[in-house]
Amino acid sequence: TMQEFVNQAAVPFAGYNSTEEYYRQTNPINNIVGITTPKLVINSLDDPCCCVDNIYEQSPWHNNRTYAEMAQASQRAMIAVT
C-alpha cells in the first residue's frame, strides 16, 4: 500500500525516526500561515496520496483546526478540488 511505502522507504530515506515525525515535519500545512506569495493548491478527487476528505480532518498539531479552516484563514492560499 502507499502507507507501507511511506513507512518502509520514505521515512527512513528522509532521515526520520518515525512516521509520525515524518508527517509532522514535512506537512506543508505547517507553512500556510507564513505564505507571502499567493498559492493555489489543486487536488483531484481520485488522488491516491491526498484524499479530499483529509482537508476536513482536524489537525492535532494546529489546535484541532481543519486544514480547510487553516487555508481559509490564510490571506494567500486557496484549495481547489477537481
Side-chain angles (χ1 to χ4, degrees), residues 11-54:
V11 170
F13 179 78
Y16 292 97
N17 295 316
S18 69
T19 303
E20 293 77 18
E21 179 186 13
Y22 171 78
Y23 284 130
R24 189 172 46 254
Q25 295 293 321
T26 62
N27 191 333
I29 201 70
N30 293 327
N31 301 308
I32 198 166
V33 175
I35 290 175
T36 57
T37 303
K39 300 286 184 236
L40 171 63
V41 177
I42 300 175
N43 196 134
S44 74
L45 289 173
D46 61 353
D47 186 319
C49 297
C50 299
C51 302
V52 172
D53 293 341
N54 290 351

